[in-house]
Amino acid sequence: MKARKDILDKIQNYSHNVDNREEYSQIVIKIQIIESALEILKEDERKIVSWHLIEKIKWSEIEKMYEEQVGTEFRYSERTFKRIQKNALKKMGAFLSEGEFKEYINEI
């Protein structure tokens, strides 16, 4: 609910801005939507999605980074990381598709 409220607040703030910064306002709204969608994820899901899709880190490096952060006790395979990412993206997709801000995400 907090993520949804944050998005709607941003949309309201920037949609009333009708000067020559309209394109900027639209970009800010889209960034806020993506950031809020990431916030609904569990910490490990958010890390994996951010590392792989935003920072473009390879799976083998993600395995090492994750192991350094949580220890060898929670060692995951590449397949497990991919499954975690897939499930996280499904959560984000469901969150984004049910919101009042669908019109803003068509171009993301």
Side-chain angles (χ1 to χ4, degrees):
M1 293 305 286
K2 180 193 177 302
R4 185 174 309 286
K5 181 196 172 297
D6 290 346
I7 292 172
L8 294 174
D9 286 346
K10 284 288 186 185
I11 290 170
Q12 185 173 3
N13 288 340
Y14 287 104
S15 63
H16 295 327
N17 182 2
V18 292
D19 63 3
N20 61 358
R21 296 185 296 166
E22 184 176 332
E23 182 179 359
Y24 171 80
S25 297
Q26 293 297 316
I27 291 170
V28 170
I29 290 169
K30 289 176 184 181
I31 290 170
Q32 179 63 39
I33 290 169
I34 292 168
E35 288 175 346
S36 294
L38 283 168
E39 288 179 20
I40 69 164
L41 301 177
K42 295 177 187 174
E43 184 179 350
D44 61 336
E45 294 171 326
R46 186 172 41 255
K47 283 180 186 178
I48 292 165
V49 169
S50 294
W51 286 341
H52 188 249
L53 298 178
I54 297 172
E55 297 178 35
K56 305 286 188 201
I57 298 173
K58 295 179 182 180
W59 289 116
S60 58
E61 286 300 311
I62 290 172
E63 288 180 50
K64 291 175 190 172
M65 291 168 59
Y66 193 82
E67 186 176 308
E68 287 173 7
Q69 288 190 359
V70 300
T72 57
E73 183 178 323
F74 299 103
R75 181 177 287 165
Y76 291 149
S77 67
E78 181 178 321
R79 181 177 174 184
T80 301
F81 283 115
K82 288 179 179 179
R83 186 178 70 246
I84 291 169
Q85 177 178 278
K86 180 181 175 183
N87 291 335
L89 292 174
K90 283 182 182 179
K91 280 185 193 178
M92 290 174 68
F95 170 77
L96 294 171
S97 68
E98 65 188 32
E100 299 83 14
F101 38 82
K102 288 180 187 179
E103 66 184 271
Y104 295 96
I105 61 170
N106 289 338
E107 299 172 13
I108 293 180

